[in-house]
Amino acid sequence: LQTVRLGGSVIIPTDPAGRTLELLMMLNTIWEANHYVKNQYPLVFLCHEAYNILEFAQGQIEWMSKEVQKTFNTSRSNPFSLKLLYLCHNMEEFHRVRSMNRTMVIFATSQTLETSFSQHLLLEYAADPRNLFLFT
């Protein structure tokens, strides 16, 4: 949060599945619990298949960890219904979200920075020392 509080964005180049789902779920929970954070810093998933990935995860709760299953069974709400997450399928949608607030946390495919959205973001964001590229 220090990076976004200082006016930078956090860019997380990522593989569109696996650990990314867990991180998105965790950050969405943190955003929901902190009124200031959720209103100031958008959480963005920039991936061609963003909607499909989350829709698939919502239907696979029985294959998730015991903790995720417990959350679902007690609250009866799907843990992958990430209400604060902006799903962007292309750079045009991303720039619409960006126009609302310059400072954000962005999960972008691919994790290698050689192709796809993460490469575009590297070119856009690397020149500003306030921004942070976080590799997982």
Side-chain angles (χ1 to χ4, degrees):
L1 285 177
Q2 181 180 358
T3 298
V4 290
R5 286 186 178 140
L6 295 174
S9 288
V10 178
I11 299 92
I12 305 169
T14 186
D15 179 7
R19 192 93 171 136
T20 300
L21 293 172
E22 185 178 352
L23 291 170
L24 288 170
M25 189 172 66
M26 181 185 69
L27 287 178
N28 190 75
T29 302
I30 293 168
W31 261 234
E32 284 179 340
N34 189 324
H35 181 71
Y36 178 76
V37 170
K38 76 177 172 184
N39 290 329
Q40 292 293 319
Y41 314 120
L43 185 58
V44 177
F45 186 25
L46 180 56
C47 173
H48 291 294
E49 305 86 14
Y51 176 79
N52 295 334
I53 290 167
L54 283 175
E55 183 179 38
F56 182 77
Q58 288 176 6
Q60 301 298 315
I61 299 298
E62 68 273 10
W63 298 102
M64 302 295 175
S65 71
K66 297 256 185 243
E67 187 176 314
V68 170
Q69 291 176 19
K70 183 180 177 185
T71 300
F72 176 72
N73 290 332
T74 22
S75 69
R76 291 322 250 171
S77 68
N78 195 305
F80 289 102
S81 177
L82 308 176
K83 295 174 180 79
L84 299 176
L85 181 66
Y86 288 90
L87 301 177
C88 298
H89 301 92
N90 55 49
M91 290 306 288
E92 182 180 316
E93 290 177 6
F94 172 73
H95 286 294
R96 260 187 260 132
V97 173
R98 184 178 172 188
S99 70
M100 293 186 292
N101 190 336
R102 173 93 171 106
T103 302
M104 58 184 81
V105 176
I106 310 156
F107 285 79
T109 56
S110 110
Q111 63 191 16
T112 65
L113 296 176
E114 293 176 359
T115 60
S116 199
F117 297 123
S118 60
Q119 181 185 42
H120 290 286
L121 296 181
L122 176 66
L123 298 172
E124 282 186 40
Y125 283 85
D128 188 342
R130 296 175 299 172
N131 295 326
L132 170 70
F133 280 81
L134 181 64
F135 296 92
T136 59

